[in-house]
Amino acid sequence: MLSINDLRASIEGKEILKGINLEVKPGEVHAIMGPNGSGKSTLASVLAGREEYEVTGGSVVFDGKNILDMAPEERAAEGIFLAFQYPVEIPGVTTINFLKTAVNEIRKYRGENPLDAAQFLKMVREKAKLVSMNDSLLKRALNEGFSGGEKKRNEIFQMAVLEPKLAILDETDSGLDIDALRIVAEGVNSLRSPERATVVVTHYQRLLDYIVPDYVHVLYKGRIVKSGPKELALELEEKGYDWIKAEVEAVG
Ligand code: ADP
Ligand code: MG
Ligand code: MG
């Protein structure tokens, strides 16, 4: 489904991603961990197509298509969803209107008819129930005055509505309390299916107690330096990253 080959990317002339290789198959959940400043958020941003980053080499193939030439909106329409680290506030635009526009843009791209108001509402109600999203949040301006937990729930709700084939979640190392972690985990788990894949970027081993990944990768200095089964996350929790850094330095 997703095939990343020797991906290199820079920002302001500084190379951050130095040859990333990753294969994600349908149904899989991959966790990307690693010390601060390793390039985890850069990788998520490059996959989503954010313009600040310059891709200097390698390829990213999603469902057989090279996505590096696509705009972020096209990638979204192809089925890639990125939950942003800091979800934007859009004053005056309600969550529900924002989503209606997004859903119908995607349908248009795919050559499908737009949903009318009644169809859209029905779908949104089902999805809200699925991720325990309160109706009152839907009618408020997007993210405006939302608490941390509400933003997370809203993000997961957006993911449920957009039904991406590949969801990329970048969880910051600050501001997520245990309730917010649970919201994210329950949402991801309720959307797990054999056709869909998830890449979770996280500093929290604890999140992986709830979202059990199929694979764990450690990103360090712009490269994936170690991959393993879910137990690798436990090992990292216990031992930190120093042993991995030492292994990398020893190899040179
Ligand atoms: P992580 O998510 O693993 O903590 P990031 O991808 O955020 O790492 O950052 C990787 C490196 O890229 C860091 O050295 C960071 O300072 C640098 N970097 C990230 N974004 C920018 C930016 N907008 N301008 C300059 N440097 C950046
Ligand atoms: Mg960071
Ligand atoms: Mg980060």
Side-chain angles (χ1 to χ4, degrees):
M1 170 186 270
L2 180 73
S3 181
I4 304 177
N5 197 9
D6 198 28
L7 179 64
R8 290 164 188 274
S10 299
I11 188 152
E12 292 168 3
K14 184 177 151 206
E15 188 172 62
I16 308 293
L17 301 183
K18 299 175 179 170
I20 301 279
N21 294 292
L22 183 68
E23 297 286 329
V24 178
K25 299 201 181 77
E28 292 179 347
V29 175
H30 290 244
I32 297 186
M33 305 186 77
N36 223 340
S38 294
K40 302 182 298 296
S41 295
T42 301
L43 176 60
S45 298
V46 166
L47 292 176
R50 291 175 76 176
E51 276 159 13
E52 310 91 276
Y53 301 89
E54 188 196 355
V55 175
T56 53
S59 62
V60 179
V61 176
F62 177 70
D63 264 358
K65 293 178 192 163
N66 179 4
I67 63 164
L68 290 178
D69 298 331
M70 294 181 187
E73 303 75 41
E74 287 175 80
R75 298 181 198 206
E78 291 288 344
I80 297 177
F81 174 86
L82 178 76
F84 287 100
Q85 269 190 323
Y86 302 105
V88 285
E89 294 187 10
I90 311 186
V93 175
T94 61
T95 298
I96 201 154
N97 280 333
F98 168 79
L99 275 174
K100 187 159 188 246
T101 306
V103 165
N104 282 334
E105 284 293 319
I106 288 174
R107 293 180 66 90
K108 192 170 150 194
Y109 179 91
R110 293 179 183 162
E112 297 164 3
N113 289 329
L115 295 181
D116 65 30
Q119 289 167 319
F120 181 74
L121 265 182
K122 181 166 179 282
M123 189 263 276
V124 154
R125 292 225 169 91
E126 283 165 12
K127 301 295 184 179
K129 201 179 276 177
L130 186 68
V131 298
S132 309
M133 172 95 171
N134 192 313
D135 268 8
S136 69
L137 282 186
L138 297 175
K139 293 171 198 143
R140 279 166 55 185
L142 187 64
N143 283 332
E144 212 178 16
F146 281 23
S147 70
E150 286 170 343
K151 280 187 185 175
K152 278 289 141 191
R153 197 174 293 286
N154 190 44
E155 211 172 81
I156 295 299
F157 170 68
Q158 288 174 26
M159 183 166 96
V161 168
L162 297 174
E163 300 186 318
K165 287 185 239 172
L166 173 67
I168 301 165
L169 302 155
D170 186 359
E171 298 310 331
T172 60
D173 42 351
S174 61
L176 271 197
D177 60 19
I178 190 75
D179 290 338
L181 284 183
R182 284 220 178 95
I183 291 165
V184 171
E186 281 166 13
V188 167
N189 289 333
S190 68
L191 299 172
R192 241 172 153 154
S193 87
E195 300 85 48
R196 296 195 204 167
T198 307
V199 175
V200 190
V201 175
T202 185
H203 285 268
Y204 292 102
Q205 197 283 323
R206 216 200 231 173
L207 179 62
L208 305 180
D209 289 339
Y210 302 108
I211 303 174
V212 180
D214 297 296
Y215 299 97
V216 175
H217 309 279
V218 180
L219 189 59
Y220 178 54
K221 291 188 176 172
R223 291 190 181 92
I224 290 176
V225 296
K226 199 166 200 71
S227 297
K230 61 179 187 297
E231 288 77 15
L232 176 56
L234 297 172
E235 202 176 353
L236 294 169
E237 172 78 348
E238 195 183 315
K239 305 200 306 197
Y241 290 110
D242 284 352
W243 62 288
I244 290 183
K245 292 180 186 173
E247 273 181 20
V248 172
E249 307 311 335
V251 174

